[in-house]
């Protein structure tokens, strides 16, 4: 991990947080595709997870554009940013054993992109109210993520079988995946 100094950090509530080279005046808006990719580089996103995130963004943006054309109220640039950054906490989660979605949300809060944090935090699961509620950018990215196994677009059944094989270490964990 690169060394941080006071020039590469921002001061918030008395502590220094990494700014990852993004000017403060640009940190309150939805980051562009290039800015998201730069964040993935700066946070040492493994290449395979980066490729997964790019594929999720491609799927989510294609769906968003079609839905907007059909009258849905979605911000395609926001969909792209959420999709590209949805696994931003994966590398740190692998290092620490923490939950990557929660870590990613905290990272985005620290970086001044708090408006994206809830979508990143919740991308590994949804509650019934979200699923039955209005279509949102977060819901669309959640769906796109569930359709992409590694870099391949697959049927939901295939993706959930893969998730079960890789992550369900107990009957309780498998039941939790089944509820998704």
């Amino acid at each position: 991990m690169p060394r941080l100094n006071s020039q590469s950090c921002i001061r918030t509530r008395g502590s220094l947080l990494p700014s990852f080279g993004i000017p403060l005046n640009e940190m309150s808006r939805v980051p562009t595709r290039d800015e998201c990719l730069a964040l993935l580089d700066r946070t040492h996103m493994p290449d395979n997870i980066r490729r997964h995130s790019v594929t999720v963004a491609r799927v989510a943006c294609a769906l968003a554009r079609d839905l907007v054309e059909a009258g849905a109220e979605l911000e395609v640039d926001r969909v792209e940013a959420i999709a590209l950054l949805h696994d931003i906490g994966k590398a740190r989660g692998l290092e620490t054993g923490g939950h990557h979605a929660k870590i990613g949300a905290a990272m985005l809060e620290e970086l001044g992109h708090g408006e994206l944090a809830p979508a990143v935090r919740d991308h590994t699961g949804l509650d019934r109210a979200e699923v039955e509620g209005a279509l949102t950018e977060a819901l669309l990215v959640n769906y796109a993520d569930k359709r992409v196994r590694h870099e391949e677009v697959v049927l939901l059944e295939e993706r959930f079988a893969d998730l079960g094989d890789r992550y369900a270490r107990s009957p309780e964990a498998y039941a939790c995946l089944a509820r998704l």
Side-chain angles (χ1 to χ4, degrees):
M1 182 156 255
R3 296 176 59 121
L4 299 175
N5 59 41
S6 61
Q7 283 75 39
S8 64
C9 294
I10 58 174
R11 186 170 295 281
T12 61
R13 297 182 206 179
S15 63
L16 290 175
L17 298 171
S19 67
F20 297 101
I22 297 173
L24 283 176
N25 63 346
E26 295 181 15
M27 293 180 70
S28 62
R29 63 174 173 69
V30 174
T32 66
R33 176 182 178 80
D34 287 343
E35 290 166 339
C36 290
L37 294 174
L39 277 175
L40 298 183
D41 289 341
R42 291 182 184 117
T43 58
H44 306 286
M45 168 85 63
D47 288 340
N48 63 315
I49 298 168
R50 179 188 174 105
R51 288 189 305 270
H52 165 78
S53 296
V54 168
T55 304
V56 170
R58 182 176 49 83
V59 170
C61 287
L63 291 170
R65 283 189 291 274
D66 287 348
L67 288 164
V68 166
E69 191 173 304
E73 294 184 24
L74 296 167
E75 295 177 32
V76 178
D77 60 337
R78 184 175 166 81
V79 168
E80 183 173 45
I82 295 167
L84 287 170
L85 299 173
H86 79 280
D87 279 342
I88 193 169
K90 196 74 123 164
R92 194 174 294 170
L94 291 170
E95 290 172 6
T96 66
H99 191 279
H100 80 278
K102 292 177 182 173
I103 292 168
M107 291 170 71
L108 289 175
E109 290 280 354
E110 291 172 2
L111 292 165
H113 296 299
E115 73 280 3
L116 303 179
V120 169
R121 182 190 59 241
D122 298 337
H123 84 271
T124 58
L126 296 169
D127 62 35
R128 183 166 297 283
E130 290 173 296
V131 173
E132 294 175 351
L135 178 62
T136 65
E137 292 86 355
L139 185 62
L140 186 60
V141 171
N142 184 296
Y143 173 74
D145 184 38
K146 302 308 174 273
R147 291 297 307 271
V148 177
R149 178 182 58 209
H150 307 296
E151 300 167 57
E152 178 185 16
V153 180
V154 297
L155 297 173
L156 286 174
E157 294 81 10
E158 293 176 60
R159 177 71 161 127
F160 281 101
D162 174 61
L163 290 171
D165 291 345
R166 289 192 292 146
Y167 299 113
R169 307 271 189 255
S170 68
E172 294 82 16
Y174 198 82
C176 181
L177 276 172
R179 287 191 299 270
L180 298 177

